[in-house]
Amino acid sequence: MAGSPVSDIVIGYVEEVRTYIPALRKGLAALRENPEQPELVEEMHRMVHTIKGASLMVGIPGLSHIALQMENALADLLSGDLSVTVQLLDTMKDTISRFQAYCDGLTGDGVQPREMLRETVLAYRRVRELPPDDDEAELAPLLHEIPAFEAGTGAAADGDETGADDLEREMAALAAEEASPSPPETPPPSAEPPEILPELLESFYEEAREHLDELDSSLNILESQVTEPAEMTPDQKEIVRKIRRAVHTLKGASAVIGLSTIAAWGHIFEDFLDWLYESARSITPEMIAMLMDGGDLMARLVASPQMSQDTRSQALQAQFTGIMGAPETGAPSAEPSPAPGGVPAETAPPAPTATVLPEPEPGHPDFFTRQTQTLRVSTERVDELVNLTGEVMIVSGAFEQQMNLFMEATRELDVARNRLREIARDMEVGYEVKALGRLGTGAGGPAAAATAYEDFDSLELDRYSRLSMIIRTLNESVIDVGALFTRLSTLHSDFDGHLNRQRVLMSDLQDKMMQIRMLPMSTLSNKLRRTVREVGKVLGKKLRLVIEGEEIELDRLIWDRLTDPLMHLLRNAADHGIEPPDVRRRINKPAVATLRLAASREGNQVVIRITDDGAGLNYRAITRKARDAGLMGEDEEMAEEELAALIFRPGFSTRETISEVSGRGVGMDVVRENIQSIKGSVRVNSWKERGTRFTIRIPLTLAAIRALLFRLEDRTFAIALNEIREIIRVEPRNLIRRPKRAIRAGEDLIPLHSLKTLLHIDTGKSESLSPIVLVVDAGGRREALEIDALVGQREIVIKSTGSHLRYVRGISGVTIVGDGSVVPILNVPELIGVETAITPRPRVIPAEEAEPAPVAERPPTILVVDDSVSIRQVVSQLLEGQGWQIRTARDGLDALEKLREEQPDLIVLDIEMPRMNGYEFLSALSADPDYRRIPVVMLTSRATAKHRDRAIALGARGFAIKPFNDNEFIDMILSLIV
């Protein structure tokens, strides 16, 4: 169309493009404010995709190629291959400006598309950090397809000679190019030519997703099985066959609809899989790594067929050839050969040999014979349906509450019937005979009528007075009320049956609606594994990611929020936690480090644990960095829990050098913020030279759960029933008030919290001597919550508190009960403070000190104080077997002398000893500030509560009864010194 007037179709199309530009600019502005908006990115991708395809259809290839660059970037944003950065947003902003300039040029004096395209392509290559050396090779085929100048309506109307001159120069250049003896460049195949029907593409991508999932799943199984060179087993051959079948299907389907880039790579990949299945006898980790790279390349090509993968595919093809041996004559090349006329043709399959791909098995229909009916619905509509389902459940709950009132009224009716029956019986028995006599003496009435029947005895013929008629009427009323009660009871029973069925159906409907929004963790698995593989290559470390619980489901939006934190934690574990290969060999660790990501459902939470087998947190480096940053004094010491919490501070990093993987101090604080934004929590545990574990807890939202409702003063609250271990009324003798409130449950002491205090509910009432207590599971620990009264169990719907109340501490949501009142649902771990980024050390007995002494690098020293030589020997041998240093003392005075010589990390103390008993020693210990921080475990044969309470009051941190269980005793000591 260069040099020719712009047609009406093009003018109309230009106006259409202009309607997209404000929406795209608005979308970019919104992404700058909040990058976590996948729906917005998807909508922008749809608009740019429309511009790209329609521009090519109406004959504006320059605008199409410019839009293609932005479309690829948006597609990579959706797939996670790119992240939202300032550079990317600025590049997209410039691209939208070029859309505007292109439209203005087409309706004005013309446009120079090659210059615009060059600037666009180079800008996006810089965003992707691609080498500048390949710029011209990438640009050449693109620039060849578009003219140097496209005239606009203004140029055509004015008879602009410049446009004609440019056209003549362009034609002369093309003629010289055709006369050149060098072969013309073959234009790259278009991944989505205009003739491909959108319905066909959509069907292909739906099917391709299934095959890619199967491909990744099979490759992950092989990766877990093949850790060293070995002979291929029949099961592994079967897995290779499945991989080959998936690649074969993808290759054939992509070739049929015209995605020749995917087909070409699929042909190369399939050749290697054929050799591996038919000829290879052994299999090695290197082969698995090549298969992984081939699968990753296939996934990238399916996600973005327009992207050039020549360099990567040629490198992989060279690796395949190196393993298979010299290529046979006529082996297919990486690029499809052009068909006559310059149109790319599908790569021809190799000539048939003795090895033929198996035909589809019975029961496994071919790719294009499968018909999958799908329906695209926006997430807003699904949200509306879920909310409506919740409202119906709330109305059902209100009806259930009214049914309970109806049953209570029916019972009251039965009580009134019984009372009426008693009154009638009393009147009949106590008053009727006397009343008959009195009535008989009166004039007229029944007495006069009686004379007519005086020949009948009273036993032969009943006489009825007015009182008799009243009593009979009462009896009949009693019968009528009884019949009414029976009918109402039957109706209630029928209603209750229908209500129960409705409740079951509503629960199923709720589950089905939630499943529409829910996605399994397996949707992230491939991306996480790819991240670990790429980080391993960059760092030169051999890493293996094991994922457990891939079937665990969460809301798609929650997974979107969790993807970046999970990827960062895995990168951080690989960089900071995993030792270099030479270090691992020196300390006898496996050469291949293991990262484990395990998800599980615990109550109404999903718990994700990320564990590595590396060196653990470097507390010395953290301490040094904290002192350099002024977070602690030079002489100040912090407990390991406090040091671990520092890694979540903004800008805190122990890495001395900055790299692409880590070292910028940006990440862990964002991880915590992202997790807290979805009401989750993150904790870290670390073991020296054994590894680190991050535990993420995410509450389920928008779900129906069974909850316990209770009252505090005049307010009602709810807690998920599966978080509650038991409900008890504490007897006064089991209530401990000092040094911290706790309750005694069997042999355990459980910290006791007042919910009124935690929720800041003012009350003038004193503490109850026998409170009702809920024992709950809070972050893996048992905690006790004091309440006023129980209301009962209910099926409730968790509703969001909205954006204005999103960050209310301790509240995970609300529910609406039958009477219309709003009941807050408590987030117990957050409420009592275990949602912090560190794991508090377990405490057998609450202590006054908030933090224990820092762990020493040397083995712990334990002082055993007992007057019995045998007990000292038995305990010493048990503790020495753990690698600890043991010192002994025969009584309290001897122990005080030993303390002056060397301060131990823990004291095991008997109660009954000569000269100074255990209680006297505890009193002396707590009075000395140098010794009061030493944890003390009482070891005695006195098992009564009186002795235990006295020890706790004096500051003991543990209490064990002779004879004791060795494992439990060791665990108790470990909880106090580790």
Side-chain angles (χ1 to χ4, degrees):
M1 58 172 282
S4 62
V6 182
S7 66
D8 294 338
I9 296 178
V10 173
I11 293 176
Y13 172 68
V14 166
E15 294 303 319
E16 179 186 351
V17 173
R18 283 173 172 161
T19 62
Y20 293 133
I21 292 175
L24 290 171
R25 286 175 173 166
K26 185 177 180 181
L28 276 185
L31 282 180
R32 290 184 188 273
E33 296 294 331
N34 179 17
E36 299 296 333
Q37 300 187 71
E39 295 87 356
L40 178 59
V41 176
E42 187 172 354
E43 178 63 19
M44 293 175 64
H45 179 272
R46 184 192 63 79
M47 289 188 286
V48 175
H49 177 77
T50 301
I51 295 175
K52 180 209 71 174
S55 297
L56 201 61
M57 291 291 292
V58 300
I60 314 177
L63 183 57
S64 176
H65 281 294
I66 292 173
L68 176 62
Q69 310 305 313
M70 183 171 177
E71 182 191 12
N72 289 341
L74 290 169
D76 288 345
L77 276 182
L78 290 172
S79 65
D81 294 334
L82 279 180
S83 57
V84 178
T85 62
V86 175
Q87 183 184 7
L88 177 61
L89 293 177
D90 291 343
T91 302
M92 289 185 177
K93 180 181 178 183
D94 294 340
T95 306
I96 298 173
S97 298
R98 291 187 184 100
F99 291 166
Q100 183 69 54
Y102 213 116
C103 293
D104 294 342
L106 289 176
T107 56
D109 296 334
V111 64
Q112 295 180 344
R114 287 189 178 181
E115 187 61 29
M116 283 190 180
L117 180 59
R118 174 183 290 274
E119 294 173 355
T120 305
V121 171
L122 294 181
Y124 283 103
R125 286 182 63 81
R126 299 294 82 82
V127 169
R128 301 177 186 276
E129 299 181 355
L130 296 175
D133 297 341
D134 299 334
D135 286 350
E136 294 304 321
E138 183 73 21
L139 280 167
L142 298 178
L143 297 177
H144 181 79
E145 294 182 1
I146 63 176
F149 180 81
E150 290 188 47
T153 56
D158 298 338
D160 191 353
E161 297 180 359
T162 304
D165 293 341
D166 287 340
L167 178 60
E168 291 177 2
R169 284 194 296 269
E170 174 67 17
M171 294 177 66
L174 290 176
E177 204 171 307
E178 292 176 359
S180 174
S182 60
E185 296 183 5
T186 301
S190 178
E192 292 183 15
E195 61 269 21
I196 300 179
L197 295 176
E199 296 82 2
L200 191 58
L201 276 176
E202 182 177 352
S203 176
F204 168 76
Y205 285 126
E206 288 291 335
E207 296 290 343
R209 188 177 298 111
E210 298 177 8
H211 291 295
L212 288 175
D213 289 341
E214 181 181 355
L215 179 65
D216 284 324
S217 177
S218 300
L219 287 173
N220 292 328
I221 295 174
L222 277 182
E223 184 187 33
S224 64
Q225 292 180 355
V226 181
T227 57
E228 58 184 11
E231 185 176 353
M232 192 183 307
T233 65
D235 290 341
Q236 291 169 349
K237 268 188 172 295
E238 178 62 21
I239 295 174
V240 172
R241 189 191 70 80
K242 290 181 179 179
I243 297 173
R244 184 177 67 169
R245 184 176 183 81
V247 173
H248 173 73
T249 307
L250 280 172
K251 181 203 72 172
S254 58
V256 167
I257 69 171
L259 300 177
S260 54
T261 307
I262 302 174
W265 171 245
H267 204 94
I268 297 170
F269 197 12
E270 189 181 9
D271 284 344
F272 179 66
L273 290 166
D274 287 343
W275 173 85
L276 189 61
Y277 182 76
E278 298 291 344
S279 304
R281 296 293 177 263
S282 61
I283 190 167
T284 66
E286 289 73 17
M287 293 180 183
I288 302 301
M290 292 166 56
L291 289 176
M292 287 287 186
D293 291 340
D296 290 346
L297 180 55
M298 179 69 78
R300 290 178 184 274
L301 288 175
V302 171
S304 301
Q306 308 89 348
M307 293 181 61
S308 175
Q309 298 286 345
D310 293 345
T311 304
R312 188 170 182 179
S313 63
Q314 290 173 5
L316 278 175
Q317 185 180 12
Q319 294 179 16
F320 292 163
T321 304
I323 289 184
M324 294 187 296
E328 297 177 359
T329 305
S333 61
E335 294 297 330
S337 58
V343 180
E346 182 190 356
T347 304
T353 63
T355 301
V356 182
L357 288 177
E359 293 297 326
E361 299 176 2
H364 291 77
D366 192 47
F367 180 84
F368 287 104
T369 61
R370 288 198 297 264
Q371 297 294 329
T372 302
Q373 298 295 330
T374 60
L375 177 65
R376 292 198 174 195
V377 180
S378 64
T379 56
E380 290 78 7
R381 291 190 177 183
V382 176
D383 290 341
E384 291 174 0
L385 292 176
V386 171
N387 292 334
L388 286 175
T389 305
E391 294 297 332
V392 173
M393 293 192 70
I394 292 173
V395 173
S396 179
F399 182 65
E400 182 178 359
Q401 186 172 349
Q402 296 300 318
M403 284 290 295
N404 293 333
L405 296 176
F406 174 59
M407 190 60 194
E408 291 178 5
T410 305
R411 294 193 186 98
E412 291 178 1
L413 180 63
D414 187 38
V415 172
R417 180 192 66 169
N418 293 331
R419 186 167 56 248
L420 189 61
R421 182 190 294 116
E422 293 297 328
I423 293 173
R425 183 180 298 111
D426 290 343
M427 291 182 66
E428 185 175 10
V429 173
Y431 301 103
E432 185 175 13
V433 175
K434 295 179 181 179
L436 283 172
R438 288 196 299 272
L439 291 172
T441 58
T451 58
Y453 305 101
E454 58 185 7
D455 53 333
F456 287 96
D457 187 80
S458 59
L459 297 177
E460 294 179 323
L461 184 64
D462 290 335
R463 271 79 166 175
Y464 294 98
S465 64
R466 185 173 184 81
L467 182 58
S468 298
M469 300 302 296
I470 294 174
I471 293 174
R472 176 171 293 231
T473 303
L474 280 175
N475 286 326
E476 292 177 354
S477 297
V478 169
I479 295 173
D480 292 340
V481 173
L484 179 60
F485 169 76
T486 302
R487 184 177 180 184
L488 291 178
S489 298
T490 302
L491 284 175
H492 178 273
S493 178
D494 293 341
F495 286 158
D496 191 56
H498 293 306
L499 185 61
N500 286 332
R501 177 167 176 77
Q502 182 185 14
R503 192 181 299 115
V504 171
L505 293 176
M506 287 302 305
S507 179
D508 290 343
L509 177 60
Q510 178 80 15
D511 292 341
K512 298 298 183 184
M513 292 302 304
M514 289 303 301
Q515 288 174 6
I516 296 177
R517 295 170 49 107
M518 305 288 269
L519 291 176
M521 192 175 68
S522 58
T523 57
L524 306 180
S525 299
N526 298 330
K527 183 183 297 184
L528 299 177
R529 288 191 173 96
R530 190 178 302 120
T531 297
V532 172
R533 287 198 297 271
E534 292 175 353
V535 171
K537 292 177 182 177
V538 172
L539 299 175
K541 298 178 180 180
K542 295 182 178 180
L543 306 174
R544 182 170 70 101
L545 176 61
V546 177
I547 299 181
E548 300 172 354
E550 290 184 284
E551 73 282 357
I552 296 299
E553 293 185 336
L554 275 175
D555 190 285
R556 181 178 62 86
L557 296 178
I558 294 180
W559 283 131
D560 291 341
R561 290 291 185 91
L562 275 179
T563 300
D564 287 341
L566 293 179
M567 293 175 66
H568 183 85
L569 289 175
L570 289 173
R571 285 194 298 264
N572 206 58
D575 190 19
H576 290 270
I578 302 301
E579 308 93 337
D582 56 338
V583 176
R584 292 182 68 87
R585 286 193 296 269
R586 190 166 59 248
I587 59 179
N588 296 324
K589 282 189 175 183
V592 180
T594 300
L595 302 177
R596 188 177 302 276
L597 190 151
S600 60
R601 175 82 175 268
E602 296 181 8
N604 69 333
Q605 293 181 329
V606 168
V607 182
I608 300 174
R609 295 179 175 89
I610 300 176
T611 309
D612 65 72
D613 61 351
L617 293 179
N618 189 341
Y619 289 113
R620 290 182 178 178
I622 295 175
T623 301
R624 183 172 60 254
K625 185 67 177 180
R627 286 173 177 166
D628 294 342
L631 301 176
M632 58 185 296
E634 291 295 331
D635 299 329
E636 184 181 355
E637 296 292 337
M638 281 189 179
E640 289 183 357
E641 293 90 340
E642 296 173 302
L643 292 173
L646 295 178
I647 68 175
F648 291 94
R649 292 182 63 89
F652 190 91
S653 175
T654 59
R655 181 66 67 188
E656 298 296 336
T657 58
I658 294 177
S659 66
E660 294 181 359
V661 179
S662 63
R664 293 174 171 84
V666 178
M668 294 305 294
D669 58 321
V670 178
V671 167
R672 182 175 60 178
E673 290 175 3
N674 286 352
I675 293 174
Q676 288 180 345
S677 68
I678 51 178
K679 308 302 289 184
S681 64
V682 56
R683 298 184 296 131
V684 57
N685 299 81
S686 184
W687 302 270
K688 185 177 180 181
E689 296 186 357
R690 289 190 294 161
T692 303
R693 181 178 67 211
F694 288 89
T695 303
I696 301 173
R697 294 180 178 271
I698 306 297
L700 294 174
T701 57
L702 297 175
I705 62 171
R706 198 73 182 172
L708 177 71
L709 274 61
F710 59 89
R711 288 192 176 277
L712 296 174
E713 295 293 333
D714 57 346
R715 307 180 192 180
T716 304
F717 295 89
I719 291 180
L721 197 61
N722 46 27
E723 289 186 359
I724 301 174
R725 292 192 177 184
E726 55 183 328
I727 304 172
I728 57 177
R729 182 176 287 277
V730 182
E731 298 180 3
R733 61 187 179 86
N734 290 329
L735 184 62
I736 300 170
R737 291 183 172 82
R738 295 179 182 177
K740 288 186 177 180
R741 297 188 74 204
I743 63 171
R744 184 180 294 104
E747 296 295 326
D748 299 328
L749 292 178
I750 305 174
L752 177 62
H753 306 270
S754 171
L755 275 179
K756 294 179 183 177
T757 302
L758 295 175
L759 295 171
H760 305 288
I761 298 177
D762 296 329
T763 176
K765 298 181 181 178
S766 59
E767 295 181 355
S768 173
L769 298 178
S770 183
I772 301 175
V773 167
L774 308 179
V775 180
V776 298
D777 185 357
R781 298 183 355 221
R782 286 205 301 171
E783 306 283 343
L785 304 176
E786 182 180 356
I787 64 173
D788 287 346
L790 296 171
V791 175
Q793 299 181 26
R794 296 271 177 85
E795 186 86 11
I796 65 172
V797 177
I798 302 178
K799 301 181 73 67
S800 171
T801 54
S803 58
H804 57 297
L805 295 176
R806 186 175 181 181
Y807 298 106
V808 179
R809 177 180 174 83
I811 303 297
S812 60
V814 297
T815 188
I816 302 176
V817 294
D819 59 0
S821 59
V822 178
V823 175
I825 304 169
L826 300 185
N827 184 342
V828 175
E830 186 180 55
L831 191 63
I832 64 179
V834 300
E835 83 294 350
T836 55
I838 61 175
T839 301
R841 291 177 177 170
R843 292 289 179 265
V844 180
I845 294 175
E848 287 189 40
E849 295 82 16
E851 297 291 342
V855 176
E857 293 294 329
R858 58 177 175 77
T861 300
I862 299 178
L863 176 62
V864 180
V865 185
D866 199 299
D867 61 318
S868 171
V869 178
S870 300
I871 295 297
R872 292 201 301 268
Q873 290 178 347
V874 171
V875 175
S876 298
Q877 290 177 1
L878 174 65
L879 301 183
E880 285 173 349
Q882 306 299 316
W884 300 331
Q885 296 180 359
I886 306 302
R887 303 178 64 207
T888 60
R890 62 180 180 272
D891 57 30
L893 286 178
D894 188 23
L896 288 177
E897 294 176 1
K898 298 290 176 62
L899 285 179
R900 297 186 181 97
E901 297 173 4
E902 181 182 1
Q903 182 172 322
D905 298 296
L906 182 136
I907 299 173
V908 177
L909 181 65
D910 188 19
I911 291 180
E912 296 171 287
M913 297 180 295
R915 297 201 298 172
M916 178 182 284
N917 63 34
Y919 294 145
E920 295 169 342
F921 177 81
L922 275 175
S923 299
L925 202 68
S926 60
D928 193 331
D930 294 333
Y931 303 141
R932 66 176 54 166
R933 292 176 63 90
I934 302 175
V936 178
V937 174
M938 303 301 294
L939 180 61
T940 179
S941 58
R942 300 292 185 179
T944 61
K946 180 178 181 180
H947 290 83
R948 185 191 298 264
D949 294 345
R950 180 68 179 275
I952 293 171
L954 292 174
R957 306 280 288 281
F959 200 92
I961 308 299
K962 302 175 185 176
F964 54 83
N965 180 282
D966 292 353
N967 293 331
E968 293 178 357
F969 188 67
I970 293 297
D971 290 341
M972 178 188 298
I973 294 177
L974 281 173
S975 69
L976 296 171
I977 65 174
V978 176

